[in-house]
Amino acid sequence: MNPAKLSRTLAAALLVSAVLAVPASAAKRRSVAHRSPGVEFTVNISGVVLDNVTGQPVVGVELSTGQRFDATDTQGRFDLKNATGHGSILVEAKRSGYLPFSTRITPGAPTALTIRLTPTPTVTVRLTNGEVKNLDNESLKFGYPLAFTGYIESESEDFCKIADSSKVSINKSQMARLVGPAQIVPAGSCCTDNAAKMTLTLKNGEVHDVLFTDTCQERYKVDIGGREHVSGQFVHLLITDVAEVIFP
């Protein structure tokens, strides 16, 4: 081959290789940049959590950044000191009775936050003395204290249907309404001695007179427990003090 022609051919090949190598090199640099964790920074994050419907402060909301934790006071205020992150800090807010919320703080962004939480449906409990309690549905459980063991609780309750003495365990998600007041009555073939009776309506439309089997022979005093939606306090209400429970 002519030396001059060979030289021109080699030069062209080297030029093509260089052009093809540039995008790959750039892509590699972009990939490395994408994996960068970002600049580490530390800030104090504070603010208030409000109900998005009523505008009122929300008590007992758990705030976290992964390393720092706080809970809102009666004024809905919180303070997360010395929160540290790389590139950004994830702030999460959670409480029963509300949808979870999250936001990210970046360097230089405002750290005084007003967080508005969207409420979820509550359980309405009307007591025999006329009081009405609105409890967070996510927190509501049936339970009873057990000596030397502690408190036993569950989102389901064991019943005996008075009509046929069949025993069933029903989750609160299946319940539409419990009507009382709960009365201690002869349990018949459901169990020996007495038990607490109420009328249960299910979401599928079925209605049953039921006995709380845990109250058979008055062994345990069953209650309905949960977090009051407004005050944020947990309460336990004896079923014998309950006139009606309306589930969402």
Side-chain angles (χ1 to χ4, degrees), residues 187-195 216-217:
S189 58
C190 282
C191 62
T192 59
D193 205 20
N194 301 323
C216 285
Q217 299 176 301

mmCIF file with all atom_site columns, all heavy atoms in Angstrom, residues 187-195 216-217:
data_model
loop_
_atom_site.group_PDB
_atom_site.id
_atom_site.type_symbol
_atom_site.label_atom_id
_atom_site.label_alt_id
_atom_site.label_comp_id
_atom_site.label_asym_id
_atom_site.label_entity_id
_atom_site.label_seq_id
_atom_site.pdbx_PDB_ins_code
_atom_site.Cartn_x
_atom_site.Cartn_y
_atom_site.Cartn_z
_atom_site.occupancy
_atom_site.B_iso_or_equiv
_atom_site.pdbx_formal_charge
_atom_site.auth_seq_id
_atom_site.auth_comp_id
_atom_site.auth_asym_id
_atom_site.auth_atom_id
_atom_site.pdbx_PDB_model_num
ATOM 1  N N   . ALA A 1 187 ? -76.286 -16.754 79.161 1.00 0.00 ? 187 ALA A N   1
ATOM 2  C CA  . ALA A 1 187 ? -75.611 -17.045 77.893 1.00 0.00 ? 187 ALA A CA  1
ATOM 3  C C   . ALA A 1 187 ? -76.186 -18.232 77.150 1.00 0.00 ? 187 ALA A C   1
ATOM 4  O O   . ALA A 1 187 ? -75.806 -18.485 75.997 1.00 0.00 ? 187 ALA A O   1
ATOM 5  C CB  . ALA A 1 187 ? -74.120 -17.264 78.143 1.00 0.00 ? 187 ALA A CB  1
ATOM 6  N N   . GLY A 1 188 ? -77.111 -18.972 77.767 1.00 0.00 ? 188 GLY A N   1
ATOM 7  C CA  . GLY A 1 188 ? -77.696 -20.116 77.077 1.00 0.00 ? 188 GLY A CA  1
ATOM 8  C C   . GLY A 1 188 ? -76.648 -21.143 76.722 1.00 0.00 ? 188 GLY A C   1
ATOM 9  O O   . GLY A 1 188 ? -75.753 -21.455 77.510 1.00 0.00 ? 188 GLY A O   1
ATOM 10 N N   . SER A 1 189 ? -76.710 -21.657 75.494 1.00 0.00 ? 189 SER A N   1
ATOM 11 C CA  . SER A 1 189 ? -75.751 -22.680 75.064 1.00 0.00 ? 189 SER A CA  1
ATOM 12 C C   . SER A 1 189 ? -74.437 -22.102 74.548 1.00 0.00 ? 189 SER A C   1
ATOM 13 O O   . SER A 1 189 ? -73.532 -22.862 74.179 1.00 0.00 ? 189 SER A O   1
ATOM 14 C CB  . SER A 1 189 ? -76.381 -23.555 73.972 1.00 0.00 ? 189 SER A CB  1
ATOM 15 O OG  . SER A 1 189 ? -76.783 -22.759 72.868 1.00 0.00 ? 189 SER A OG  1
ATOM 16 N N   . CYS A 1 190 ? -74.325 -20.759 74.507 1.00 0.00 ? 190 CYS A N   1
ATOM 17 C CA  . CYS A 1 190 ? -73.069 -20.150 74.046 1.00 0.00 ? 190 CYS A CA  1
ATOM 18 C C   . CYS A 1 190 ? -71.945 -20.403 75.047 1.00 0.00 ? 190 CYS A C   1
ATOM 19 O O   . CYS A 1 190 ? -70.791 -20.611 74.671 1.00 0.00 ? 190 CYS A O   1
ATOM 20 C CB  . CYS A 1 190 ? -73.252 -18.647 73.843 1.00 0.00 ? 190 CYS A CB  1
ATOM 21 S SG  . CYS A 1 190 ? -74.104 -18.222 72.302 1.00 0.00 ? 190 CYS A SG  1
ATOM 22 N N   . CYS A 1 191 ? -72.273 -20.357 76.317 1.00 0.00 ? 191 CYS A N   1
ATOM 23 C CA  . CYS A 1 191 ? -71.308 -20.638 77.370 1.00 0.00 ? 191 CYS A CA  1
ATOM 24 C C   . CYS A 1 191 ? -72.079 -20.733 78.687 1.00 0.00 ? 191 CYS A C   1
ATOM 25 O O   . CYS A 1 191 ? -73.255 -20.373 78.736 1.00 0.00 ? 191 CYS A O   1
ATOM 26 C CB  . CYS A 1 191 ? -70.215 -19.582 77.459 1.00 0.00 ? 191 CYS A CB  1
ATOM 27 S SG  . CYS A 1 191 ? -70.798 -17.919 77.862 1.00 0.00 ? 191 CYS A SG  1
ATOM 28 N N   . THR A 1 192 ? -71.440 -21.223 79.705 1.00 0.00 ? 192 THR A N   1
ATOM 29 C CA  . THR A 1 192 ? -72.127 -21.332 80.989 1.00 0.00 ? 192 THR A CA  1
ATOM 30 C C   . THR A 1 192 ? -72.268 -19.964 81.637 1.00 0.00 ? 192 THR A C   1
ATOM 31 O O   . THR A 1 192 ? -71.486 -19.054 81.378 1.00 0.00 ? 192 THR A O   1
ATOM 32 C CB  . THR A 1 192 ? -71.345 -22.262 81.925 1.00 0.00 ? 192 THR A CB  1
ATOM 33 O OG1 . THR A 1 192 ? -70.017 -21.740 82.120 1.00 0.00 ? 192 THR A OG1 1
ATOM 34 C CG2 . THR A 1 192 ? -71.257 -23.665 81.355 1.00 0.00 ? 192 THR A CG2 1
ATOM 35 N N   . ASP A 1 193 ? -73.266 -19.819 82.459 1.00 0.00 ? 193 ASP A N   1
ATOM 36 C CA  . ASP A 1 193 ? -73.510 -18.604 83.237 1.00 0.00 ? 193 ASP A CA  1
ATOM 37 C C   . ASP A 1 193 ? -73.915 -17.444 82.326 1.00 0.00 ? 193 ASP A C   1
ATOM 38 O O   . ASP A 1 193 ? -74.694 -17.609 81.404 1.00 0.00 ? 193 ASP A O   1
ATOM 39 C CB  . ASP A 1 193 ? -72.281 -18.255 84.077 1.00 0.00 ? 193 ASP A CB  1
ATOM 40 C CG  . ASP A 1 193 ? -72.644 -17.437 85.304 1.00 0.00 ? 193 ASP A CG  1
ATOM 41 O OD1 . ASP A 1 193 ? -73.825 -17.458 85.712 1.00 0.00 ? 193 ASP A OD1 1
ATOM 42 O OD2 . ASP A 1 193 ? -71.766 -16.781 85.853 1.00 0.00 ? 193 ASP A OD2 1
ATOM 43 N N   . ASN A 1 194 ? -73.348 -16.235 82.554 1.00 0.00 ? 194 ASN A N   1
ATOM 44 C CA  . ASN A 1 194 ? -73.783 -15.022 81.867 1.00 0.00 ? 194 ASN A CA  1
ATOM 45 C C   . ASN A 1 194 ? -72.719 -14.478 80.919 1.00 0.00 ? 194 ASN A C   1
ATOM 46 O O   . ASN A 1 194 ? -71.540 -14.843 80.990 1.00 0.00 ? 194 ASN A O   1
ATOM 47 C CB  . ASN A 1 194 ? -74.141 -13.936 82.891 1.00 0.00 ? 194 ASN A CB  1
ATOM 48 C CG  . ASN A 1 194 ? -75.249 -14.372 83.826 1.00 0.00 ? 194 ASN A CG  1
ATOM 49 O OD1 . ASN A 1 194 ? -76.180 -15.062 83.410 1.00 0.00 ? 194 ASN A OD1 1
ATOM 50 N ND2 . ASN A 1 194 ? -75.153 -13.980 85.094 1.00 0.00 ? 194 ASN A ND2 1
ATOM 51 N N   . ALA A 1 195 ? -73.150 -13.557 80.034 1.00 0.00 ? 195 ALA A N   1
ATOM 52 C CA  . ALA A 1 195 ? -72.222 -12.889 79.118 1.00 0.00 ? 195 ALA A CA  1
ATOM 53 C C   . ALA A 1 195 ? -72.840 -11.563 78.679 1.00 0.00 ? 195 ALA A C   1
ATOM 54 O O   . ALA A 1 195 ? -74.045 -11.333 78.847 1.00 0.00 ? 195 ALA A O   1
ATOM 55 C CB  . ALA A 1 195 ? -71.928 -13.757 77.904 1.00 0.00 ? 195 ALA A CB  1
ATOM 56 N N   . CYS A 1 216 ? -67.967 -14.408 79.033 1.00 0.00 ? 216 CYS A N   1
ATOM 57 C CA  . CYS A 1 216 ? -68.663 -15.559 79.604 1.00 0.00 ? 216 CYS A CA  1
ATOM 58 C C   . CYS A 1 216 ? -68.203 -15.795 81.038 1.00 0.00 ? 216 CYS A C   1
ATOM 59 O O   . CYS A 1 216 ? -66.991 -15.746 81.329 1.00 0.00 ? 216 CYS A O   1
ATOM 60 C CB  . CYS A 1 216 ? -68.392 -16.810 78.768 1.00 0.00 ? 216 CYS A CB  1
ATOM 61 S SG  . CYS A 1 216 ? -69.306 -16.845 77.219 1.00 0.00 ? 216 CYS A SG  1
ATOM 62 N N   . GLN A 1 217 ? -69.167 -16.046 81.921 1.00 0.00 ? 217 GLN A N   1
ATOM 63 C CA  . GLN A 1 217 ? -68.912 -16.218 83.349 1.00 0.00 ? 217 GLN A CA  1
ATOM 64 C C   . GLN A 1 217 ? -68.272 -14.964 83.945 1.00 0.00 ? 217 GLN A C   1
ATOM 65 O O   . GLN A 1 217 ? -67.660 -15.024 85.002 1.00 0.00 ? 217 GLN A O   1
ATOM 66 C CB  . GLN A 1 217 ? -67.999 -17.432 83.599 1.00 0.00 ? 217 GLN A CB  1
ATOM 67 C CG  . GLN A 1 217 ? -68.605 -18.749 83.126 1.00 0.00 ? 217 GLN A CG  1
ATOM 68 C CD  . GLN A 1 217 ? -67.668 -19.903 83.295 1.00 0.00 ? 217 GLN A CD  1
ATOM 69 O OE1 . GLN A 1 217 ? -66.565 -19.914 82.746 1.00 0.00 ? 217 GLN A OE1 1
ATOM 70 N NE2 . GLN A 1 217 ? -68.103 -20.886 84.070 1.00 0.00 ? 217 GLN A NE2 1
#
